[in-house]
Amino acid sequence: MPENKDTGTVKRVEWEEDRFPRPMTKKRSLLTYLAASVRFGQFLIRREIRYYRRRPIDTLFFLTYRCTSRCKTCTLWQRTDRSEEMSLEDWKRTVDMCAEMGARYFELFGGDALLRPDVLIPLTAHIKTIPGSNCDLVTNCNLMTERTAKGLVAAGIDEIWISIDGVEEDHNLVRGRDKTFSKVEKTIGWVREARGPSGRPQLHANTTISNLNYSTFDKVLAYADRMGMDFNHLEYVGEFWDELLDRSVVEGVRPSPYFVRQGDFSVLVNEEQARIIKAKVAQLKKDVRSMAISLQCENVDKLTIEQMVTGLCDNRRCYITRGKVTVDPRGNVLGCPFYGDWILGNVRRQHLREIWNNEKHKRFMTHFARGHMKLCEHCIIGVQRNPNLTQNIRDYLNRARRRARM
């Protein structure tokens, strides 16, 4: 296993638990590789079975829609209403219902989840009482403190995903806030100190690529490696616009995504910029061979130059609508995080069993299957979260080939 450059201790670098086992390198034993591959295979089998049975496998919890960033690639921060946000006890009951139905992966999200300090750490601790559970937090770090970082580690958080779209001012430009990069740097240091040699939680640098940072995003990998982070994920930006949303109205419900074009300014790249991104990613794949960090760039790899320019995606099926329990801040269970007004039910008033697979849920899945939701053709989340069985296996083998050349 790779050695921590700062302390000389062994740094634990796993391949996102059983979901994405890290392919074997010269530093990993055959036994470790086989064990990880078995877990990966088991996850794929469970995922496919649950897809066809329409059973929950993971969750997406919006603790709040409010946000402290002003990102140029996202409009979620424009939602400022905090009324009727669920209490800690409401969220705990929701976790228990999801676990009762078989979900084991819990993603705590926002907005800025750090705006809910009354919920975040105790909810994490509650999730970790469930055998086999995995809990992760996605954060911009704006409100992170040393006490909160230590509290999350002590509660047992498995992964912390930190948005890093560039280094120094390049990051601040995209996030729309001065000095936000300094909070990122402090957060990494606090978490690494709190986790010590255990390597838990894993630290993920999540980099969204757009025309705002196409020429500088590649600096993040070396920075994240130097800071002792475990993964750098490269994801292409998503974007919707009003005319597309108008063509996606289903049963009178208009989608309400948070990757919406702001005015006339598009964050999609042109052809020349797309080719620069592809070339930079190819170079990063070579550079990472000498680093301790792992690079994940399947999102960008899957997209063609034309798709990056037009924003079109080849989404043929959706695991999100059939296996991910998406809950908004008020307890509404959504058919999709981008259809905020297509409400399947509310966990404050109903058990999840009464909500999941009800008639409204089935109609939503039917509309997707019949191609009625035009925004799905531009859903970048689908590229990242909806690989089918064949794509998953192919991606894993491609990673293994890259690692074998190290």
PDB file of all heavy atoms in Angstrom, residues 227-238:
ATOM      1  N   MET A 227      -1.692  16.886  -0.799  1.00  0.00           N
ATOM      2  CA  MET A 227      -2.418  17.095   0.455  1.00  0.00           C
ATOM      3  C   MET A 227      -2.828  15.783   1.125  1.00  0.00           C
ATOM      4  O   MET A 227      -3.444  15.799   2.182  1.00  0.00           O
ATOM      5  CB  MET A 227      -3.667  17.950   0.189  1.00  0.00           C
ATOM      6  CG  MET A 227      -3.356  19.381  -0.213  1.00  0.00           C
ATOM      7  SD  MET A 227      -2.574  20.338   1.111  1.00  0.00           S
ATOM      8  CE  MET A 227      -3.917  20.464   2.288  1.00  0.00           C
ATOM      9  N   GLY A 228      -2.511  14.652   0.500  1.00  0.00           N
ATOM     10  CA  GLY A 228      -2.817  13.374   1.114  1.00  0.00           C
ATOM     11  C   GLY A 228      -4.243  12.901   0.916  1.00  0.00           C
ATOM     12  O   GLY A 228      -4.731  12.060   1.680  1.00  0.00           O
ATOM     13  N   MET A 229      -4.922  13.399  -0.132  1.00  0.00           N
ATOM     14  CA  MET A 229      -6.268  12.936  -0.427  1.00  0.00           C
ATOM     15  C   MET A 229      -6.194  11.589  -1.143  1.00  0.00           C
ATOM     16  O   MET A 229      -5.148  11.199  -1.672  1.00  0.00           O
ATOM     17  CB  MET A 229      -7.027  13.969  -1.264  1.00  0.00           C
ATOM     18  CG  MET A 229      -7.149  15.321  -0.600  1.00  0.00           C
ATOM     19  SD  MET A 229      -8.212  16.489  -1.496  1.00  0.00           S
ATOM     20  CE  MET A 229      -9.841  15.859  -1.080  1.00  0.00           C
ATOM     21  N   ASP A 230      -7.305  10.875  -1.154  1.00  0.00           N
ATOM     22  CA  ASP A 230      -7.309   9.506  -1.665  1.00  0.00           C
ATOM     23  C   ASP A 230      -7.775   9.385  -3.108  1.00  0.00           C
ATOM     24  O   ASP A 230      -7.339   8.483  -3.824  1.00  0.00           O
ATOM     25  CB  ASP A 230      -8.206   8.642  -0.767  1.00  0.00           C
ATOM     26  CG  ASP A 230      -7.766   8.697   0.684  1.00  0.00           C
ATOM     27  OD1 ASP A 230      -6.601   8.372   0.957  1.00  0.00           O
ATOM     28  OD2 ASP A 230      -8.574   9.091   1.541  1.00  0.00           O
ATOM     29  N   PHE A 231      -8.686  10.259  -3.530  1.00  0.00           N
ATOM     30  CA  PHE A 231      -9.242  10.176  -4.876  1.00  0.00           C
ATOM     31  C   PHE A 231      -9.399  11.569  -5.474  1.00  0.00           C
ATOM     32  O   PHE A 231      -9.678  12.535  -4.762  1.00  0.00           O
ATOM     33  CB  PHE A 231     -10.630   9.522  -4.878  1.00  0.00           C
ATOM     34  CG  PHE A 231     -10.649   8.080  -4.463  1.00  0.00           C
ATOM     35  CD1 PHE A 231     -10.790   7.742  -3.123  1.00  0.00           C
ATOM     36  CD2 PHE A 231     -10.531   7.064  -5.390  1.00  0.00           C
ATOM     37  CE1 PHE A 231     -10.814   6.423  -2.720  1.00  0.00           C
ATOM     38  CE2 PHE A 231     -10.557   5.737  -5.003  1.00  0.00           C
ATOM     39  CZ  PHE A 231     -10.691   5.408  -3.663  1.00  0.00           C
ATOM     40  N   ASN A 232      -9.255  11.642  -6.798  1.00  0.00           N
ATOM     41  CA  ASN A 232      -9.658  12.826  -7.556  1.00  0.00           C
ATOM     42  C   ASN A 232     -10.631  12.357  -8.638  1.00  0.00           C
ATOM     43  O   ASN A 232     -10.282  11.559  -9.500  1.00  0.00           O
ATOM     44  CB  ASN A 232      -8.454  13.516  -8.187  1.00  0.00           C
ATOM     45  CG  ASN A 232      -8.798  14.799  -8.940  1.00  0.00           C
ATOM     46  OD1 ASN A 232      -8.026  15.270  -9.769  1.00  0.00           O
ATOM     47  ND2 ASN A 232      -9.951  15.377  -8.672  1.00  0.00           N
ATOM     48  N   HIS A 233     -11.861  12.843  -8.538  1.00  0.00           N
ATOM     49  CA  HIS A 233     -12.896  12.491  -9.512  1.00  0.00           C
ATOM     50  C   HIS A 233     -13.085  13.663 -10.476  1.00  0.00           C
ATOM     51  O   HIS A 233     -13.306  14.797 -10.039  1.00  0.00           O
ATOM     52  CB  HIS A 233     -14.230  12.215  -8.810  1.00  0.00           C
ATOM     53  CG  HIS A 233     -14.170  11.115  -7.811  1.00  0.00           C
ATOM     54  ND1 HIS A 233     -14.657   9.851  -8.060  1.00  0.00           N
ATOM     55  CD2 HIS A 233     -13.667  11.069  -6.555  1.00  0.00           C
ATOM     56  CE1 HIS A 233     -14.465   9.088  -7.005  1.00  0.00           C
ATOM     57  NE2 HIS A 233     -13.865   9.804  -6.074  1.00  0.00           N
ATOM     58  N   LEU A 234     -13.013  13.376 -11.755  1.00  0.00           N
ATOM     59  CA  LEU A 234     -13.250  14.391 -12.777  1.00  0.00           C
ATOM     60  C   LEU A 234     -14.639  14.175 -13.358  1.00  0.00           C
ATOM     61  O   LEU A 234     -14.954  13.084 -13.838  1.00  0.00           O
ATOM     62  CB  LEU A 234     -12.202  14.294 -13.889  1.00  0.00           C
ATOM     63  CG  LEU A 234     -10.731  14.389 -13.460  1.00  0.00           C
ATOM     64  CD1 LEU A 234      -9.819  14.311 -14.678  1.00  0.00           C
ATOM     65  CD2 LEU A 234     -10.464  15.667 -12.674  1.00  0.00           C
ATOM     66  N   GLU A 235     -15.464  15.204 -13.304  1.00  0.00           N
ATOM     67  CA  GLU A 235     -16.813  15.107 -13.837  1.00  0.00           C
ATOM     68  C   GLU A 235     -17.086  16.302 -14.740  1.00  0.00           C
ATOM     69  O   GLU A 235     -16.760  17.439 -14.386  1.00  0.00           O
ATOM     70  CB  GLU A 235     -17.849  15.066 -12.708  1.00  0.00           C
ATOM     71  CG  GLU A 235     -17.699  13.866 -11.786  1.00  0.00           C
ATOM     72  CD  GLU A 235     -18.792  13.806 -10.737  1.00  0.00           C
ATOM     73  OE1 GLU A 235     -19.756  14.594 -10.845  1.00  0.00           O
ATOM     74  OE2 GLU A 235     -18.694  12.970  -9.825  1.00  0.00           O
ATOM     75  N   TYR A 236     -17.676  16.024 -15.878  1.00  0.00           N
ATOM     76  CA  TYR A 236     -18.039  17.113 -16.782  1.00  0.00           C
ATOM     77  C   TYR A 236     -19.284  17.814 -16.260  1.00  0.00           C
ATOM     78  O   TYR A 236     -20.143  17.202 -15.609  1.00  0.00           O
ATOM     79  CB  TYR A 236     -18.274  16.577 -18.194  1.00  0.00           C
ATOM     80  CG  TYR A 236     -18.472  17.675 -19.226  1.00  0.00           C
ATOM     81  CD1 TYR A 236     -17.474  18.633 -19.433  1.00  0.00           C
ATOM     82  CD2 TYR A 236     -19.643  17.767 -19.968  1.00  0.00           C
ATOM     83  CE1 TYR A 236     -17.649  19.645 -20.363  1.00  0.00           C
ATOM     84  CE2 TYR A 236     -19.816  18.766 -20.904  1.00  0.00           C
ATOM     85  CZ  TYR A 236     -18.830  19.713 -21.093  1.00  0.00           C
ATOM     86  OH  TYR A 236     -18.994  20.719 -22.017  1.00  0.00           O
ATOM     87  N   VAL A 237     -19.383  19.084 -16.559  1.00  0.00           N
ATOM     88  CA  VAL A 237     -20.491  19.893 -16.071  1.00  0.00           C
ATOM     89  C   VAL A 237     -21.805  19.478 -16.738  1.00  0.00           C
ATOM     90  O   VAL A 237     -21.818  18.992 -17.871  1.00  0.00           O
ATOM     91  CB  VAL A 237     -20.209  21.392 -16.343  1.00  0.00           C
ATOM     92  CG1 VAL A 237     -20.302  21.702 -17.831  1.00  0.00           C
ATOM     93  CG2 VAL A 237     -21.135  22.290 -15.537  1.00  0.00           C
ATOM     94  N   GLY A 238     -22.905  19.650 -16.020  1.00  0.00           N
ATOM     95  CA  GLY A 238     -24.225  19.449 -16.597  1.00  0.00           C
ATOM     96  C   GLY A 238     -24.919  20.787 -16.780  1.00  0.00           C
ATOM     97  O   GLY A 238     -24.634  21.750 -16.056  1.00  0.00           O
TER      98      GLY A 238
END
